[in-house]
Amino acid sequence: MKKNVLFTAAMSCAFLLPAVNASAQDQSVVVEEETIVASEVPCKTHYYVDKKNNWFLQFGAGIDVPFVEGVNAQGDRERHITVNYNLGFGKWFSPYMGWRLVFNGGPLHWEDNGMYKAKYVGANVDFMWDMFNSLGGVNSKRVFSIIPFIGLGGTYVWDQTPAGTIIGQDGNPKNSTWALPVSGGLQFRFRLCKYVDFFAEARASMYGDNFNNIAYGRPVDINVTANAGFTVTFGGRDYQSYNPCDYLGYINNLNGQVNDLRGALATTAAALAAAEAQLPCPEVVEAETTVVEAAPLMATVRFSLNSSKITDTEMVNVYNIAEWMKANPEQNVAIVGYADKDTGTSDYNMGLSKRRAQAVFDTLVNKYGINPDRLAMQAEGSDVQPYDVNNWNRIVIFNVAQ
């Protein structure tokens, strides 16, 4: 019996050391056969955008000024300003880059030995660059930003009076046309609140010589627009971030646990060898009963402030626990939720830690097919803080359950 007890203890320690090959001296942890050395982790903050957030709708109005062929009756170039309307939607897919589909249109007036009038509507797909986030550091609360953009699109001009000089397929002068512009411009954005910005922008759209159905003189027709309006961002203009250096303390903690388990395994192996050396033994000495406490597993799930949602980045840790449980069907797991003590009351944090543990429980059961009878939930709130850095305590820790 003593041999069986010692052998079982040794095998339990072995199961708690999957794919771990590290020591406190080299400060490294093996993950999927790759060694991560704490001192070599680049301390750079990375930003990403939630799929549901940073979609926006913009609307505004402004002016049009066409730069096309033509002079007035006195032989002078004369520019006419007309009203322009603007509507668009898009998404910032990073703090630096975004896209939008924008529609604009209105009347056009220009001179060519008489007044010409027409109407137009256009659509452009723009690629936008947040210059201040790129050059000055990411800040979702920045009050003022400059956004350069470039775009491609299409424009339809109709109801031109009088008709132009270009002859259509019917043999008559054309009073409508399709044109494909290349455009670019600048947007000045002023933050009013998390969800609403005021913007003012100018765009120059460059066409071939057929934009106004008159083809002579300058080879490129240009339409300049200036608009102002409001941008409404659904879910708020905000970005998620992570820094690998945030995990250095966690890695060091894991290294300490690995070394503790190695020491326990070495002690058990020595005891087993001593027991085997006495076989066959003339008499059986009853082994002293040892209570084995729940051991922490090598994975956790971290959460954002005041959130119980499992991010895509942290979902891999839930997956790893599920795979470990499938490979060790005799093992049960306790899911322990925590909250940081710097935010929220003790009662609120208790509920938050319970929701975090419940989210992990539901994912293991519903997504990965783990038997709920093998799982236990525990909420510690903010009364217990497993880490000295409060940000790390927005966490769920897994323990081997008895």
Side-chain angles (χ1 to χ4, degrees):
M1 177 178 289
K2 182 176 181 180
K3 179 179 179 180
N4 291 337
V5 171
L6 294 173
F7 179 75
T8 301
M11 293 303 296
S12 298
C13 290
F15 275 115
L16 290 175
L17 291 169
V20 176
N21 183 19
S23 68
Q25 287 73 27
D26 61 20
Q27 292 290 294
S28 61
V29 176
V30 173
V31 181
E32 298 181 355
E33 300 182 357
E34 293 185 4
T35 302
I36 300 175
V37 181
S39 61
E40 297 178 0
V41 176
C43 295
K44 180 180 179 182
T45 300
H46 301 270
Y47 295 90
Y48 62 95
V49 173
D50 189 283
K51 294 180 180 179
K52 298 180 180 179
N53 293 337
N54 287 279
W55 286 92
F56 64 85
L57 174 69
Q58 71 172 57
F59 52 91
I63 61 173
D64 269 302
V65 182
F67 289 77
V68 296
E69 300 91 348
V71 294
N72 61 18
Q74 291 74 36
D76 300 323
R77 292 192 181 276
E78 185 174 341
R79 306 300 176 192
H80 291 271
I81 298 175
T82 54
V83 68
N84 171 272
Y85 302 98
N86 172 288
L87 177 66
F89 69 91
K91 178 179 175 62
W92 287 98
F93 51 84
S94 80
Y96 318 105
M97 302 296 294
W99 68 269
R100 67 177 176 179
L101 175 62
V102 60
F103 302 90
N104 59 350
L108 293 173
H109 294 172
W110 70 93
E111 291 272 355
D112 190 15
N113 293 312
M115 176 69 75
Y116 280 78
K117 296 182 179 180
K119 300 173 184 176
Y120 87 99
V121 64
N124 289 277
V125 176
D126 293 334
F127 294 91
M128 304 177 295
W129 174 46
D130 192 316
M131 184 169 63
F132 282 16
N133 271 352
S134 298
L135 303 180
V138 175
N139 181 2
S140 61
K141 297 181 180 180
R142 183 175 280 114
V143 175
F144 172 68
S145 299
I146 297 178
I147 316 293
F149 60 87
I150 58 174
L152 299 173
T155 300
Y156 179 61
V157 179
W158 80 98
D159 199 19
Q160 180 174 324
T161 306
T165 61
I166 299 177
I167 304 301
Q169 294 181 353
D170 58 359
N172 297 317
K174 295 181 65 175
N175 64 354
S176 65
T177 189
W178 281 98
L180 301 176
V182 176
S183 62
L186 285 177
Q187 181 184 97
F188 300 94
R189 184 177 67 191
F190 300 86
R191 184 179 190 271
L192 302 181
C193 67
K194 180 179 180 180
Y195 304 97
V196 181
D197 299 321
F198 173 79
F199 75 88
E201 70 178 44
R203 176 195 299 269
S205 299
M206 291 166 282
Y207 303 85
D209 204 16
N210 64 328
F211 174 62
N212 62 340
N213 291 305
I214 298 174
Y216 73 90
R218 65 173 72 233
V220 176
D221 291 338
I222 301 175
N223 188 37
V224 175
T225 61
N227 295 99
F230 297 94
T231 301
V232 179
T233 303
F234 301 100
R237 178 156 50 90
D238 202 1
Y239 313 108
Q240 305 295 323
S241 65
Y242 70 93
N243 190 320
C245 291
D246 291 343
Y247 293 90
L248 292 182
Y250 177 55
I251 291 174
N252 293 333
N253 180 270
L254 291 181
N255 287 329
Q257 294 182 35
V258 168
N259 289 331
D260 290 344
L261 292 173
R262 280 180 166 173
L265 181 59
T267 300
T268 303
L272 178 59
E276 289 177 338
Q278 298 177 12
L279 294 177
C281 52
E283 59 183 56
V284 177
V285 178
E286 188 68 27
E288 187 176 318
T289 302
T290 304
V291 177
V292 181
E293 297 182 355
L297 296 175
M298 300 295 110
T300 63
V301 181
R302 299 185 67 192
F303 293 85
S304 299
L305 179 66
N306 194 29
S307 173
S308 59
K309 179 181 177 181
I310 304 173
T311 65
D312 293 342
T313 305
E314 295 296 316
M315 188 63 73
V316 66
N317 295 327
V318 183
Y319 170 81
N320 288 337
I321 287 296
E323 291 300 300
W324 183 86
M325 294 188 71
K326 292 175 183 178
N328 299 272
E330 77 287 354
Q331 297 286 354
N332 298 328
V333 168
I335 304 169
V336 188
Y338 297 89
D340 73 276
K341 65 182 180 181
D342 280 356
T343 56
T345 64
S346 178
D347 291 341
Y348 180 83
N349 287 337
M350 183 62 69
L352 178 58
S353 65
K354 183 177 181 180
R355 292 193 297 273
R356 288 169 173 168
Q358 186 69 54
V360 174
F361 179 96
D362 293 341
T363 302
L364 286 170
V365 172
N366 300 328
K367 186 171 183 178
Y368 296 118
I370 301 301
N371 188 338
D373 294 337
R374 297 179 61 196
L375 302 172
M377 287 196 305
Q378 181 178 345
E380 294 290 349
S382 57
D383 296 335
V384 177
Q385 300 284 271
Y387 299 108
D388 294 335
V389 179
N390 285 322
N391 289 346
W392 299 350
N393 293 310
R394 304 168 192 153
I395 199 168
V396 160
I397 294 177
F398 301 96
N399 292 330
V400 176
Q402 297 301 309

